[in-house]
Amino acid sequence: MFDNEDYTMQHAVPYAGYNGDYSKIDIFSPPTTGLPAFIDSEANIVTDISTAKFDSANPIQIAFSIDAPTAFLYAAYIDSDNKIVGYLAGGSAVYIPRNLPSVSPVYTTTVNNTIMADDDFSQTAIIPDGKYKLRLAVLRPFGDPGNDDDFEMWDSEEITFGE
């Protein structure tokens, strides 16, 4: 309520509140949605990724949904020591809005053996034959991109490239 000599005005300011530590909220949609999930070219869920073939004739994608916006997202292959081997080509983005189910129910990116071999995302390479996990990571609100604790992460089952 604002009082002035000539008139009194009442203003309403709409807002949404959050009770808790906003920097710890979950960004990915809950697991009950069935996401993240690997899907084939016909959008069928690939139930056993460990035996899937990754080639251009049978493209596989990772589908995921986020319930809150994020400043940074990446998809990377990690080895058995939990170290990043390379980033999925086309698997990073900045300032991603939350999914709107009526417009875009999921985000997808193709999963293959092409990686970005450096942190600048300037050099591509073929991932060496071996067993890896795919990691999706989203930065939580107010998070520091240099601090792994500020990311919500999801790791896939083991994926095998090569024989």
Side-chain angles (χ1 to χ4, degrees):
M1 188 79 90
F2 297 97
D3 284 330
N4 188 320
E5 291 177 14
D6 299 329
Y7 58 90
T8 299
M9 295 175 53
Q10 183 174 352
H11 295 276
V13 180
Y15 70 94
Y18 181 81
N19 186 11
D21 185 352
Y22 193 65
S23 68
K24 301 292 184 202
I25 66 167
D26 289 333
I27 304 295
F28 287 119
S29 297
T32 55
T33 63
L35 298 171
F38 291 98
I39 58 173
D40 64 17
S41 60
E42 296 177 5
N44 297 312
I45 293 177
V46 178
T47 55
D48 186 3
I49 199 66
S50 65
T51 61
K53 298 293 181 200
F54 295 86
D55 57 36
S56 58
N58 301 299
I60 293 179
Q61 296 188 324
I62 184 72
F64 60 94
S65 180
I66 58 175
D67 286 349
T70 183
F72 183 58
L73 171 143
Y74 72 82
Y77 291 114
I78 57 172
D79 62 17
S80 59
D81 294 327
N82 209 30
K83 292 196 173 30
I84 293 176
V85 176
Y87 297 91
L88 194 65
S92 69
V94 294
Y95 301 108
I96 301 101
R98 70 183 180 90
N99 289 78
L100 297 173
S102 61
V103 178
S104 175
V106 296
Y107 289 112
T108 61
T109 191
T110 300
V111 178
N112 57 31
N113 63 347
T114 304
I115 57 172
M116 304 309 294
D118 61 346
D119 290 338
D120 295 331
F121 297 91
S122 61
Q123 297 178 346
T124 60
I126 301 301
I127 196 167
D129 288 353
K131 295 180 183 296
Y132 305 95
K133 290 183 178 182
L134 179 66
R135 171 170 288 163
L136 291 177
V138 288
L139 185 64
R140 287 193 163 103
F142 314 116
D144 174 4
N147 183 354
D148 283 348
D149 292 336
D150 288 347
F151 282 86
E152 179 181 354
M153 297 182 190
W154 173 86
D155 292 348
S156 73
E157 296 174 31
E158 209 167 64
I159 298 170
T160 302
F161 288 105
E163 297 304 321

